Amino acid sequence: MLLSLKDISKGYGASGDKARRLVLDDISLEVQEGEKLAILGPSGSGKTTLLNLIGGLDYPDTGSLVFNGKDISSYSQGEMDGYRNRNIGFVFQFHHLLPQCTLLENVLIPTLVSDRGRDENYERARSLMSRVGIWDYRDKLPGKLSGGECQRAAVVRAMINAPSILLADEPTGALDRDNVETMADLLLELNREDGLTLLVVTHSNSLAGKMGRVLEISGGKLLEN
């Protein structure tokens, strides 16, 4: 078992406050290594909150989150940072590339905390960027490239430190139809050929239909769809 969430709850607002909103209500989930999951649900249902908990960007109010046999929900902030840097890749709806940096520089930013040497990081960047068809644009600024090209760079940036899990929050939400298919194919290729575990939040039925399991958050509960 790669990842196990047990009786996780998360809310926003002070405890006991009538305005407090419970977003995730006593949910449990088990994820095997190499699985690909889609998470559906309306805006504000808790999809991004769930990814943030798995990715170590936030802590649950109650429950346990176990990764490779270790309960990360009890980690200190420093331990959580290490867990996130070693194991988690993030892709968001918007690529969030730094506009003043070239594509290659953007891709290499996460390697600043990598244990690998500079040459090894460069070769991994070259390999991944070539694989997704953007190596020839490595010296260009994001503003000179299409949204699809920038989003592919964001995927490479998420993969540069060889994470165990890729968390993708609406990765096709800002793309046109052709680029939606390209991005879906890329994510599936990474899952198939690299054994990457995928958790994808999406409103795209097309993308969700390509995943091995489809889950839905409704009323704070996580349901198998």
Side-chain angles (χ1 to χ4, degrees):
M1 184 68 58
L2 180 66
L3 181 70
S4 175
L5 284 70
K6 186 172 177 58
D7 303 329
I8 292 284
S9 293
K10 179 68 179 179
Y12 297 100
S15 179
D17 191 330
K18 290 183 179 179
R20 176 176 168 78
R21 186 166 68 95
L22 187 62
V23 178
L24 300 176
D25 183 11
D26 197 34
I27 68 169
S28 296
L29 172 67
E30 292 186 343
V31 181
Q32 301 288 345
E33 186 173 2
E35 268 201 274
K36 50 185 187 292
L37 287 78
I39 302 171
L40 306 178
S43 297
S45 61
K47 303 184 301 297
T48 296
T49 296
L50 178 60
L51 291 194
N52 287 344
L53 293 177
I54 293 171
L57 294 175
D58 204 352
Y59 289 85
D61 295 333
T62 60
S64 63
L65 200 159
V66 177
F67 177 82
N68 267 341
K70 296 182 179 179
D71 186 353
I72 68 168
S73 53
S74 62
Y75 275 8
S76 68
Q77 188 60 62
E79 289 172 324
M80 192 67 90
D81 291 344
Y83 154 77
R84 188 170 55 250
N85 291 334
R86 288 189 301 272
N87 299 293
I88 305 296
F90 290 96
V91 178
F92 303 98
Q93 179 173 354
F94 301 102
H95 53 75
H96 298 303
L97 300 180
L98 297 179
Q100 72 274 23
C101 294
T102 67
L103 222 56
L104 178 60
E105 289 168 340
N106 269 286
V107 162
L108 287 171
I109 286 172
T111 68
L112 296 174
V113 294
S114 168
D115 294 330
R116 295 190 305 268
R118 181 177 178 179
D119 290 346
E120 187 177 353
N121 286 324
Y122 180 87
E123 283 304 310
R124 179 162 174 80
R126 183 192 60 76
S127 175
L128 288 170
M129 293 177 78
S130 297
R131 183 172 171 182
V132 303
I134 57 172
W135 177 245
D136 289 345
Y137 309 139
R138 61 191 178 277
D139 295 324
K140 292 186 178 294
L141 297 176
K144 300 295 184 181
L145 299 170
S146 71
E149 289 160 348
C150 288
Q151 193 69 327
R152 277 181 274 163
V155 171
V156 172
R157 179 182 58 189
M159 292 294 297
I160 193 70
N161 283 340
S164 302
I165 303 176
L166 185 67
L167 303 177
D169 194 353
E170 296 288 358
T172 62
L175 301 178
D176 60 32
R177 181 177 299 178
D178 289 342
N179 277 308
V180 166
E181 292 302 316
T182 298
M183 182 57 57
D185 290 344
L186 172 58
L187 294 175
L188 291 171
E189 178 185 319
L190 292 169
N191 168 262
R192 182 176 62 252
E193 297 186 3
D194 296 33
L196 181 68
T197 303
L198 285 178
L199 275 75
V200 181
V201 162
T202 183
H203 283 109
S204 168
N205 289 328
S206 173
L207 179 57
K210 296 176 187 295
M211 299 294 111
R213 291 167 64 192
V214 179
L215 307 172
E216 183 173 2
I217 297 181
S218 178
K221 301 295 186 180
L222 189 62
L223 310 170
E224 193 93 22
N225 190 328

